[in-house]
Amino acid sequence: MSDSRAASLRALLFASSAAGMLVAAPAIALAADATAEDGVVVTVDQQQQPANLGTIDVNGQLKKREPQSPEFVAPLVDTPRSITIIPEQVITQTAATSLEDLLRNSPGITFGAGEGGQPLADRPFIRGQSSGNNIFVDGVRDAGGQQREVFDLEQVEVIKGADSVYSGRGSGGGSINLSSKQPRLADSVSASAGVGADNYYRATVDGNWRLNETSAFRLNLLATEGDVPGRDAVDFEKYGLAMALGFGLGTDTSATINYYHLTADSMPDYGIPLDRKLDNGWAIKTTDSRILNVPYDSFYGLKARDYMRNEVDSVTVKLEHRFSDNLTLRNLTRYSETLNDYVVTNPGDGGAAVLVGDTWWMKRGLKSRWNPAETFANVTDLYGDFTTGALKHSFDLGVEYSRERNRNAGYTVTTTSGSPCPTGLTGFDCTPVYDPNPNDPWTGSIVRGAVTRNTTKSTGVYANDSIALGDRWVLNLGLRWDDYRVRGVASTGLPVAETSWDFVNYQAGLVYKPTANTSVYASYATSSTPPTISAGDQNNSGGAGSGNLANEVLDPEDTENYEIGAKAELFGQRLTLSGALFQTTRKNAQILISDGVYAQAGEVEVKGLELGFSGSVTPAWTVFGGYTYMDSELVRGAYNSVNIGDPLANTPKNSFSLFTTYQLLSKLSLGGGVYYVDDRFGGNQGGAGGGAGRVYAPSYTRLDLFAAYDLSDRASLQLNVKNATDEEYIMRTNGVHHADPAPARQAILALNLRF
């Protein structure tokens, strides 16, 4: 980043923390354990709240965490699905800054690396399925390639397994909903200023002001910059703004307007090469995982050329009217624009390495994307409850319309001067394989190429009902119909004919409640994946495919999910436990059945076990995390595949997470996180001798540390040490070109203030 922009950011960080300290100073100076007024003891809320992972309402009462969408017609304990809710407290205490940081606390979710048609953007995998197209904000699909921030989030909801009844078209593995911060009828201001290793700075402000008895305004600000620990050439800077204005809050008719903006500039990072693209039969040194045996701080990009820019702007309007205590109408409308724009060095795509003297040389490959996207969505829900005889219904009826417009182009990058290539390689952009230099000179031109366009329109109608059959049994039913249409314009300017599908999905679950706060359940659910998103690419151009797909349109792929499980809320509903056995099967997947001929004959299957825990074991001890076991298999694949019977890519057999805190003293809390992830194959590509040639990311165990100390009732210090043991591990690999090393150890100290 430029020196002037970095100086501006540091000034903003200093100003925000200084202003916060000035505002807080009187409160800090006057704060005491208790003061007496006319014989009445008045106390100020403690900075460290009682150990719970719920939220506190304006009356100081614990509120249970529940999904925000009215589509979830029953409390979490009575919903027969695997659902994890990550609260704001975990976001704050783990010092998370990205979706990948946050979802580390939900075992069984991994992230895939960007490559080819897959954008350099968030690509979570849930139960073996690429779910980048299944990310929602406040219940509305968040389309467009981007790397998301967390500064404006109240909680994150993860539902696993086929869930098209809730989300419409999807990958079948599950979906993620990000719940943004909303205005409340209570004044509060908090600020945080953090500094850390590798030039890390981060400042956030969260203010809520009550304007009158029924109106409020909320403002969230973000400014951050830094280098990625252990990846010295990789830096970033982000600026965020979120505003929310609410009217009629607490009344029968309310309206909320949200505006969100994020600008992010960073040095994109494609990690280190695999041997697949470099090895020409000579002595390229690799590991058993087939990842090049180089130090994990090796960076193959060019600081003089590579860049990545993300921009997000969205406006959301929510209108809600309560006809009675039993019936409410809600309408939510959103318009958003996103930009994903980058030129990135792909270290494993430059061709085979050559030996010159005693030095191996390689040519830097290149990937690029220019992808602006516009989304309009409107969702209307009528929800409530009623009784028919002995049956009590909690229902939701809804209709959804969305339109997504994507433009896609690559860049033609012409190098006129730079690091010259040795004999055996041509032109410029070459570097020693084992000693890359990101500061190599580069001059040239970057020209955007031809643009493809596509428009996706989707209409869905759905109904959900939770039926209480007395005090012990609950029947959960859901049904949804979708019409999904894609049309486009190819890079030649010629239109691509509209293709459409319609599909019906449903779910059914039966819950038995031994007590009011426990349940045992069994459920079945389905999902549909149209061909344009079957690979998880949320920016598909909708163009014709190869072979017979040039003239033939296949049907959506079908996923079904069987699940049995149990849930319990203990200790006054402060500790939640859950467990489930599941089988998720993706059927009629598109595969190659002969040379140039595709058919829907493929199948993948994931069977496993999930355990989860969240809340307070004792008043001083909180826990959050779980364990996931997944036995995945490519059941039926391409006719020439050597990987039939192999595990799926990005699907570890075992994964475990635990983030815990303990209030050791009245002012001191200690804790941390332990995260284990098993081997993950980067792709189902076989080498000579079949599956033995596959690339994988080796297993790892990561340790994070946490400490918080109250300076007063209004100020605290928080210390996070991420990757405390400096574990060297691979976060993700696409199995073809590159593997992405995780950040090295990083210590962050933050001053948190409440006014």
Side-chain angles (χ1 to χ4, degrees):
M1 73 187 69
S2 68
D3 292 340
S4 61
R5 295 189 69 181
S8 298
L9 177 55
R10 282 189 285 270
L12 176 58
L13 284 159
F14 175 78
S16 64
S17 58
M21 293 178 70
L22 287 173
V23 173
I28 296 173
L30 296 175
D33 292 339
T35 61
E37 290 185 15
D38 298 328
V40 179
V41 175
V42 180
T43 61
V44 182
D45 290 341
Q46 290 187 346
Q47 177 78 11
Q48 296 186 31
Q49 298 178 359
N52 68 75
L53 295 181
T55 57
I56 305 296
D57 66 16
V58 294
N59 298 313
Q61 300 299 312
L62 176 65
K63 290 172 33 178
K64 293 169 57 179
R65 291 178 290 107
E66 297 286 349
Q68 298 300 304
S69 173
E71 293 177 286
F72 293 89
V73 290
L76 199 59
V77 71
D78 296 338
T79 300
R81 300 297 304 269
S82 290
I83 300 175
T84 300
I85 299 182
I86 305 174
E88 186 180 0
Q89 183 176 345
V90 171
I91 300 174
T92 301
Q93 291 183 338
T94 59
T97 62
S98 67
L99 193 59
E100 188 165 4
D101 279 347
L102 194 55
L103 293 178
R104 184 178 297 118
N105 297 284
S106 182
I109 300 179
T110 58
F111 276 70
E115 168 56 32
Q118 310 295 348
L120 188 56
D122 291 332
R123 292 189 61 224
F125 278 71
I126 307 176
R127 290 188 180 175
Q129 311 298 327
S130 179
S131 300
N133 196 51
N134 289 37
I135 300 176
F136 296 75
V137 173
D138 298 327
V140 177
R141 192 181 304 274
D142 195 34
Q146 53 186 293
Q147 295 180 342
R148 294 164 179 85
E149 248 286 348
V150 302
F151 77 100
D152 188 43
L153 296 184
E154 286 190 337
Q155 66 180 34
V156 174
E157 305 149 12
V158 181
I159 179 169
K160 297 179 180 178
D163 67 335
S164 280
V165 163
Y166 297 127
S167 62
R169 92 268 188 177
S171 68
S175 60
I176 300 162
N177 182 58
L178 314 178
S179 292
S180 54
K181 295 178 180 178
Q182 301 297 322
R184 305 176 306 229
L185 293 175
D187 290 343
S188 65
V189 179
S190 62
S192 177
V195 296
D198 295 88
N199 302 310
Y200 174 89
Y201 305 92
R202 183 178 177 91
T204 59
V205 176
D206 181 359
N208 189 89
W209 295 271
R210 179 173 176 168
L211 304 180
N212 56 42
E213 292 184 353
T214 62
S215 301
F217 174 71
R218 191 160 187 176
L219 174 68
N220 277 269
L221 299 173
L222 163 74
T224 184
E225 70 169 29
D227 301 329
V228 176
R231 308 287 296 161
D232 294 340
V234 184
D235 59 6
F236 64 88
E237 59 180 42
K238 302 177 189 176
Y239 302 90
L241 164 69
M243 299 185 293
L245 183 61
F247 303 96
L249 303 178
T251 70
D252 289 342
T253 303
S254 63
T256 305
I257 304 172
N258 291 69
Y259 170 71
Y260 177 88
H261 171 80
L262 179 70
T263 296
D265 288 295
S266 62
M267 175 60 61
D269 186 6
Y270 257 25
I272 57 180
L274 310 178
D275 69 349
R276 302 179 61 85
K277 295 293 183 176
L278 295 178
D279 192 358
N280 56 9
W282 296 333
I284 294 290
K285 296 183 294 181
T286 59
T287 62
D288 178 66
S289 63
R290 301 199 66 175
I291 299 169
L292 196 68
N293 188 16
V294 295
Y296 276 13
D297 61 356
S298 301
F299 182 74
Y300 293 82
L302 280 174
K303 294 169 66 175
R305 179 189 65 190
D306 297 359
Y307 73 91
M308 180 172 184
R309 183 175 180 85
N310 274 171
E311 293 184 358
V312 182
D313 285 279
S314 69
V315 176
T316 305
V317 178
K318 182 175 70 172
L319 305 174
E320 197 162 37
H321 177 70
R322 186 171 61 232
F323 296 101
S324 68
D325 291 341
N326 307 106
L327 187 64
T328 301
L329 179 68
R330 188 190 81 157
N331 179 269
L332 193 151
T333 303
R334 174 177 298 148
Y335 175 78
S336 68
E337 296 181 353
T338 64
L339 173 66
N340 190 18
D341 182 17
Y342 59 82
V343 172
V344 56
T345 296
N346 185 335
D349 200 31
V354 299
L355 184 64
V356 179
D358 58 357
T359 301
W360 284 97
W361 286 82
M362 61 177 281
K363 194 172 181 67
R364 292 181 170 101
L366 192 70
K367 295 293 181 184
S368 64
R369 180 177 288 251
W370 176 79
N371 171 218
E374 301 176 17
T375 301
F376 172 82
N378 184 274
V379 182
T380 301
D381 288 277
L382 180 68
Y383 63 95
D385 57 76
F386 65 92
T387 301
T388 56
L391 306 180
K392 182 178 180 180
H393 299 258
S394 178
F395 71 93
D396 174 55
L397 304 174
V399 58
E400 174 185 352
Y401 170 79
S402 67
R403 183 194 66 229
E404 302 164 15
R405 291 175 175 168
N406 272 282
R407 287 177 289 166
N408 266 291
Y411 288 100
T412 299
V413 179
T414 303
T415 302
T416 56
S417 67
S419 176
C421 295
T423 303
L425 297 171
T426 60
F428 300 95
D429 296 344
C430 287
T431 186
V433 172
Y434 295 102
D435 189 24
N437 181 10
N439 296 307
D440 281 343
W442 181 87
T443 56
S445 62
I446 301 175
V447 179
R448 194 172 70 217
V451 179
T452 63
R453 295 174 171 84
N454 76 84
T455 299
T456 297
K457 295 182 179 180
S458 178
T459 302
V461 179
Y462 51 88
N464 295 282
D465 193 9
S466 178
I467 308 169
L469 312 172
D471 295 331
R472 300 293 186 185
W473 295 91
V474 179
L475 180 62
N476 190 289
L477 302 173
L479 181 68
R480 177 166 176 144
W481 170 84
D482 282 276
D483 179 82
Y484 179 73
R485 299 171 180 270
V486 179
R487 61 181 175 85
V489 177
S491 59
T492 59
L494 297 176
V496 177
E498 181 176 87
T499 305
S500 64
W501 302 265
D502 67 276
F503 39 85
V504 175
N505 286 282
Y506 55 93
Q507 71 173 25
L510 184 62
V511 180
Y512 174 70
K513 296 180 63 61
T515 68
N517 297 320
T518 61
S519 64
V520 180
Y521 68 87
S523 66
Y524 173 80
T526 66
S527 187
S528 296
T529 308
T532 55
I533 63 171
S534 60
D537 182 2
Q538 48 197 337
N539 305 306
N540 191 284
S541 65
S546 60
N548 61 309
L549 298 184
N551 302 301
E552 182 180 357
V553 177
L554 300 181
D555 294 328
E557 299 174 1
D558 298 319
T559 301
E560 59 183 14
N561 185 78
Y562 294 92
E563 187 169 306
I564 58 173
K567 301 178 183 182
E569 296 174 336
L570 307 177
F571 308 146
Q573 302 180 37
R574 290 183 179 271
L575 178 65
T576 300
L577 303 177
S578 63
L581 294 169
F582 65 88
Q583 177 175 306
T584 302
T585 305
R586 189 167 185 172
K587 304 182 296 182
N588 64 309
Q590 172 185 308
I591 60 171
L592 197 64
I593 59 172
S594 62
D595 189 20
V597 179
Y598 292 85
Q600 293 183 274
E603 182 176 318
V604 298
E605 182 179 87
V606 182
K607 296 182 290 187
L609 164 70
E610 290 179 352
L611 302 175
F613 43 84
S614 172
S616 305
V617 180
T618 71
W621 180 19
T622 66
V623 293
F624 188 93
Y627 166 76
T628 299
Y629 170 83
M630 292 186 290
D631 181 13
S632 64
E633 180 183 1
L634 176 63
V635 179
R636 290 195 296 272
Y639 77 101
N640 57 355
S641 173
V642 297
N643 298 109
I644 295 175
D646 286 343
L648 303 181
N650 299 294
T651 310
K653 180 162 287 189
N654 296 282
S655 56
F656 171 81
S657 71
L658 167 64
F659 182 78
T660 181
T661 65
Y662 188 82
Q663 191 167 346
L664 187 64
L665 302 172
S666 61
K667 295 180 179 294
L668 177 65
S669 291
L670 301 176
V674 179
Y675 308 95
Y676 172 79
V677 179
D678 230 336
D679 294 348
R680 292 138 290 139
F681 288 105
N684 296 109
Q685 298 88 9
R694 293 168 299 173
V695 174
Y696 70 92
S699 63
Y700 69 87
T701 301
R702 167 175 167 151
L703 173 67
D704 291 358
L705 299 178
F706 162 85
Y709 182 78
D710 290 348
L711 302 174
S712 75
D713 294 326
R714 301 298 187 185
S716 70
L717 287 174
Q718 177 176 318
L719 175 65
N720 291 84
V721 183
K722 297 185 173 185
N723 192 9
T725 60
D726 207 21
E727 175 83 357
E728 290 191 339
Y729 67 94
I730 297 297
M731 294 188 296
R732 51 188 175 259
T733 174
N734 63 12
V736 180
H737 297 279
H738 62 96
D740 300 340
R745 178 171 49 230
Q746 181 184 34
I748 300 171
L749 181 65
L751 172 65
N752 300 321
L753 303 172
R754 295 190 303 147
F755 314 134

